[in-house]
Amino acid sequence: MPLNEGPRQTGERRLSVNPFYGPANPVGDMAEAPPTHRLPDQPMAPVTAHQLVRDELMLDGNARLNLATFVTTWMEPEAGVLMAECRDKNMIDKDEYPRTAELERRCVAMLADLWHAPDPAAAVGCSTTGSSEACMLAGMALKRRWARRNADRYPGARPNLVMGVNVQVCWEKFCNFWEVEARLVPMEGERFHLDPQAAAELCDENTIGVVGILGSTFDGSYEPVAELCAALDAVQERTGLDIPVHVDGASGAMVAPFLDEDLVWDFRLPRVASINTSGHKYGLVYPGVGWALWRDAEALPEELVFRVNYLGGDMPTFALNFSRPGAQVVAQYYTFLRLGRDGYRAVQQAARDVATGMAGRIEALGDFRLLTRGDELPVFAFTTAPDVTAYDVFDVSRRLRESGWLVPAYTFPANREDLSVLRVVCRNGFSADLAELLTQDLERLLPELRRQSRPFTRDKGAATSFHH
């Protein structure tokens, strides 16, 4: 056996200890309450810090009962394990984590095929932190393409972007941050999203593009993307203006390909230049991951793509964010691999069945009028019936919250500020059993609500719980 000699130098050598290892002073942990708005002076035991944070988070709502959010609130344990294993990988370090980068490329290719890109191998795309970043990137590409075509007039001419007033707030941010005029098509009567002809009439030589929403967050309805493209075809025939369309498919781009295969909304329409979706919505992945795809390299101006010599490799990147974990991209690939087309179809159909079934039961109560029925996105909106005067949708939302249900109540934008609704988002994990429990709780509340002398909501602006 080998012989081991003792240390050659005199004096004791000490091991290096990470400050996180081992408990902190247990007496101090018990006797001193940490401040809430400045760093504590001393460390504390990990079990103590964990319990303090966990106790405070108990006051949050239960994410599984949150019917306001589109974001995924349940994944399989195996996906959680993969995410835990990849949360320390920086997605931007593609040279350091080549297999994670390869999984991202595979996801882009799968989406290009799913959305009928003319040549999926030629489509370009990237992962993002969510649809908000994806929309910003798509908007930047639209503006840059317009600026190149109008180099003789820009920056003197002010670009504009046409969209429905029902767009997600990220589009308003884009127009503000990138100095683009937002031209909004208002709601009219029982039309709660963009009208193709009205959108076309707002277009001119300064229009960088038109946004079509495949799944409005206000009521879950699809905007008629094919009709929008046809209206813009007519504009081109009449004026020569070639105006591209971006499809914001934050939710619907992961629903329609599986449940509405005959609906033409994607790259099958030559005027559609780009599409985004949220992997963390009906892509069935925990937040935050989104995807932005362009029809081909021509649709994404090369000058927007940065090529960075980073950590020894040449890295093309198009993003607003830089460092972020690879966990969500890995989870997206896992979900694509795990479910396939048939699995996604089954999951989305189950969500739609829950939505349409629940909408029908709520309509049967007699106190409510449905605006949508959950037969496009698995989402439906409803308001109180005309003869209901004792309470309003804000009263319903507030009372349901007492039972743990988070059901948003909000007022519609121009020109339907008179309309206030409740909206239910049915996601994977919100089962038919949970839908039945919610319906029973609503039914149980109705006798008390009907006995009210008037609605109790004094400030509808403050009561509105819909912000996304």
Side-chain angles (χ1 to χ4, degrees):
M1 61 180 291
L3 296 175
N4 297 305
E5 297 181 359
R8 298 190 178 210
Q9 297 179 351
T10 59
E12 183 181 11
R13 177 181 178 277
R14 295 179 180 272
L15 295 175
S16 173
V17 178
N18 188 315
F20 278 97
Y21 295 167
N25 180 355
V27 176
D29 289 343
M30 295 173 60
E32 297 178 7
T36 56
H37 293 88
R38 64 175 177 83
L39 282 172
D41 295 326
Q42 301 295 327
M44 65 177 60
V47 65
T48 307
H50 172 263
Q51 194 61 52
L52 285 173
V53 175
R54 190 175 187 183
D55 286 351
E56 190 155 354
L57 290 176
M58 288 171 60
L59 297 175
D60 275 348
N62 185 331
R64 291 282 298 280
L65 302 183
N66 182 1
L67 303 182
T69 185
F70 285 78
V71 170
T72 295
T73 56
W74 181 87
M75 290 189 75
E76 293 173 310
E78 291 82 359
V81 171
L82 274 175
M83 294 182 76
E85 293 171 347
C86 297
R87 62 191 172 197
D88 59 345
K89 295 182 180 181
N90 190 352
M91 190 66 223
I92 207 67
D93 298 347
K94 300 183 189 300
D95 190 60
E96 298 292 310
Y97 305 113
R99 300 321 300 170
T100 303
E102 171 61 21
L103 298 190
E104 179 186 30
R105 282 191 288 268
R106 292 180 190 177
C107 288
V108 168
M110 290 176 178
L111 289 171
D113 178 67
L114 185 68
W115 296 339
H116 300 96
D119 180 3
V124 293
C126 60
S127 66
T128 65
T129 55
S131 268
S132 292
E133 183 187 6
C135 291
M136 299 281 180
L137 298 179
M140 289 167 60
L142 290 175
K143 183 180 179 183
R144 185 60 60 92
R145 288 179 63 195
W146 172 86
R148 286 197 314 192
R149 293 195 305 268
N150 295 272
D152 58 328
R153 299 189 309 111
Y154 183 74
R158 186 185 183 192
N160 65 73
L161 181 66
V162 175
M163 49 197 167
V165 71
N166 56 303
V167 292
Q168 212 267 357
V169 69
C170 68
W171 287 107
E172 299 175 35
K173 289 183 179 180
F174 165 76
C175 290
N176 185 11
F177 296 166
W178 273 271
E179 297 181 326
V180 173
E181 177 192 355
R183 293 188 174 178
L184 302 177
V185 178
M187 295 180 177
E188 295 290 348
E190 295 300 300
R191 175 180 57 76
F192 304 121
H193 56 224
L194 174 144
D195 173 70
Q197 192 56 42
E201 291 172 1
L202 290 177
C203 295
D204 59 24
E205 67 275 9
N206 294 329
T207 301
I208 65 174
V210 181
V211 177
I213 310 294
L214 198 71
S216 172
T217 57
F218 279 88
D219 64 355
S221 62
Y222 294 158
E223 291 191 333
V225 179
E227 294 178 28
L228 172 61
C229 289
L232 294 175
D233 289 343
V235 169
Q236 184 173 9
E237 291 177 9
R238 188 173 67 254
T239 67
L241 296 174
D242 184 8
I243 299 171
V245 167
H246 172 78
V247 178
D248 182 348
S251 294
M254 292 306 297
V255 174
F258 306 109
L259 302 187
D260 309 294
E261 295 181 70
D262 294 333
L263 180 67
V264 179
W265 62 273
D266 52 17
F267 289 126
R268 286 171 287 183
L269 298 166
R271 196 166 291 280
V272 173
S274 51
I275 301 172
N276 72 274
T277 197
S278 291
H280 60 227
K281 292 180 181 174
Y282 288 99
L284 308 180
V285 174
Y286 286 138
V289 61
W291 300 93
L293 269 70
W294 288 264
R295 168 181 292 276
D296 48 36
E298 184 181 353
L300 176 59
E302 173 64 25
E303 62 266 26
L304 290 177
V305 179
F306 279 76
R307 297 189 178 276
V308 183
N309 186 341
Y310 188 67
L311 296 179
D314 178 65
M315 180 191 66
T317 178
F318 184 37
L320 298 179
N321 294 284
F322 206 65
S323 295
R324 56 187 174 90
Q328 284 79 5
V329 168
V330 171
Q332 183 74 85
Y333 181 71
Y334 163 84
T335 308
F336 284 169
L337 198 66
R338 165 78 172 86
L339 291 178
R341 286 178 180 260
D342 288 346
Y344 263 95
R345 186 175 296 110
V347 169
Q348 312 301 36
Q349 185 62 60
R352 181 177 281 181
D353 290 345
V354 170
T356 55
M358 187 177 177
R361 289 192 294 275
I362 288 177
E363 184 180 41
L365 295 175
D367 285 46
F368 303 103
R369 177 176 70 88
L370 294 179
L371 276 67
T372 49
R373 297 180 172 273
D375 53 356
E376 293 182 324
L377 285 190
V379 174
F380 64 95
F382 60 102
T383 188
T384 49
D387 58 341
V388 173
T389 58
Y391 64 90
D392 59 19
V393 294
F394 301 100
D395 290 326
V396 176
S397 178
R398 185 169 53 251
R399 292 300 308 273
L400 285 173
R401 197 179 185 96
E402 295 171 3
S403 299
W405 302 106
L406 304 179
V407 180
Y410 53 94
T411 302
F412 271 28
N415 293 330
R416 289 306 312 268
E417 295 97 330
D418 60 304
L419 180 60
S420 298
V421 306
L422 293 150
R423 188 199 64 196
V424 174
V425 177
C426 298
R427 307 177 307 277
N428 182 41
F430 181 66
S431 65
D433 293 334
L434 286 174
E436 182 63 27
L437 290 174
L438 173 55
T439 306
Q440 289 175 2
D441 282 343
L442 176 59
E443 190 171 7
R444 189 161 44 246
L445 287 173
L446 285 180
E448 294 181 39
L449 291 169
R450 290 165 181 159
R451 287 196 295 269
Q452 291 182 181
S453 58
R454 55 173 177 76
F456 288 161
T457 307
R458 294 185 177 87
D459 183 357
K460 291 185 178 182
T464 298
S465 56
F466 173 78
H467 299 291
H468 55 83

